[in-house]
Amino acid sequence: MDNRKGSFMTAKEMIKETEPILSKYFKKVEINRIMESAYKKCSVLEVENPPFESFASQSFLVQGIFGVAVYQALEEELCREQACELTQACFLHNIDVMYQSTMLRLSCKSKAILRMSRKVIINDANSKDDENGFKYDLKPKRKGYLYCFDVLKCPIAKLLNKYNLQFLGHYLCEADEYVMKYMPKNVFLKRDKILSHGDDCCQFEYVFSRKK
C-alpha cells in the first residue's frame, strides 16, 4: 500500500490511476490513446493555470485539472453524456486511491482532528490565495453539527467556467457525497446549495445523526 498517495498526487499520477476504470470499457490500444491524450491536455492545463499557495486550493486545482483532462480526452472517443459519466467514475476512483493512505483514513474518523484540520485549511486558503482560489465562510459552532461552512469561491468551479465545462460540475461535485464513506459513521452531509448548480455558494453542513 502506497501511503504517499494520500498526501498529494499530481494530476498526471491521477490520470495513470484511471487505467483500471478505463479497462472496463476500452481495449488496451484505446486506453493508451486516451491516456496519452489526457497527459497532453493535462500539460496544457497546468501551464494555463498556475499553482496556488494554499494546500487546499492547490490540491483541488490539481483534481480539477485531472478531471478536465480526462473529460477532454474521453470526449474525443464518446458522446458528452458518456464522457461525463466515465469521467465521474475516474474521479471517484481517484478518491479511493487517495484514501489508501492509512493516516488519512484514520484522521477522517477523528472528530477532533477533523475540526482542527478544517479550521487550519480554511484559514490557510482565506489568507493566501487570490480570487481564483478557495474562499470560505466558516460558521460558528452549532449543537448537533461537527462543523459548517460555505464555499464562496472554488478553484474547480472557476476552472470549469474558464473552459465552458460547467455541466461537468454536476458529475465531479458528487465526490463531496462520495467521500462521506470515509467520515465518522454518525455524520452526514447536508447541503442545499452548490456552486456548479448555479447557486451562490457550496453549502457544507456536517450533521450528527440522531441516536435511535
Side-chain angles (χ1 to χ4, degrees):
M1 183 176 294
D2 184 2
N3 284 340
R4 180 182 63 83
K5 291 177 180 176
S7 56
F8 191 81
M9 294 172 65
T10 67
K12 288 186 174 72
E13 287 174 331
M14 294 177 186
I15 291 170
K16 184 177 180 181
E17 293 289 345
T18 63
E19 188 167 356
I21 302 300
L22 297 178
S23 65
K24 298 177 182 179
Y25 305 95
F26 298 101
K27 297 177 181 179
K28 183 65 177 178
V29 64
E30 296 170 323
I31 294 172
N32 290 340
R33 183 172 67 241
I34 291 168
M35 295 185 70
E36 183 63 27
S37 176
Y39 285 136
K40 290 179 180 179
K41 295 177 187 305
C42 180
S43 294
V44 173
L45 290 164
E46 288 173 336
V47 171
E48 294 177 347
N49 298 276
F52 293 105
E53 287 190 44
S54 79
F55 178 81
S57 292
Q58 179 56 20
S59 62
F60 273 79
L61 175 64
V62 168
Q63 291 180 56
I65 287 173
F66 157 65
V68 170
V70 169
Y71 171 77
Q72 290 176 336
L74 288 171
E75 192 183 30
E76 296 172 348
E77 308 286 334
L78 304 169
C79 70
R80 174 187 285 190
E81 184 177 359
Q82 290 174 323
C84 284
E85 290 175 351
L86 192 46
T87 299
Q88 181 187 62
C90 292
F91 202 77
L92 299 183
H93 173 72
N94 180 63
I95 298 293
D96 291 328
V97 171
M98 290 192 294
Y99 275 88
Q100 288 178 10
S101 165
T102 302
M103 183 178 295
L104 183 57
R105 288 202 310 273
L106 291 176
S107 65
C108 285
K109 294 298 183 183
S110 167
K111 298 179 181 68
I113 292 176
L114 284 168
R115 287 194 183 99
M116 179 182 66
S117 61
R118 177 53 59 183
K119 187 174 182 179
V120 169
I121 287 169
I122 288 175
N123 289 339
D124 185 48
N126 283 350
S127 64
K128 288 183 178 179
D129 295 326
D130 63 20
E131 62 182 15
N132 292 314
F134 268 121
K135 284 295 174 283
Y136 294 93
D137 179 18
L138 181 62
K139 304 299 182 181
K141 189 175 180 180
R142 296 165 59 185
K143 185 177 179 180
Y145 291 79
L146 179 63
Y147 48 70
C148 303
F149 61 89
D150 290 341
V151 173
L152 307 178
K153 294 183 179 180
C154 169
I156 290 183
K158 288 273 187 179
L159 190 71
L160 297 180
N161 288 337
K162 181 176 181 177
Y163 296 100
N164 295 317
L165 296 173
Q166 295 90 334
F167 57 87
L168 191 57
H170 289 258
Y171 297 86
L172 301 188
C173 293
E174 182 63 26
D176 294 323
E177 292 283 354
Y178 185 80
V179 78
M180 291 304 297
K181 69 180 184 177
Y182 295 106
M183 297 283 279
K185 294 298 183 183
N186 65 331
V187 175
F188 68 94
L189 174 61
K190 174 187 175 186
R191 63 177 181 175
D192 299 318
K193 294 183 177 181
I194 302 175
L195 281 167
S196 64
H197 293 186
D199 297 314
D200 60 352
C201 70
C202 283
Q203 183 182 49
F204 289 84
E205 296 185 351
Y206 293 89
V207 186
F208 291 118
S209 58
R210 294 180 181 178
K211 293 182 179 180
K212 295 182 180 181

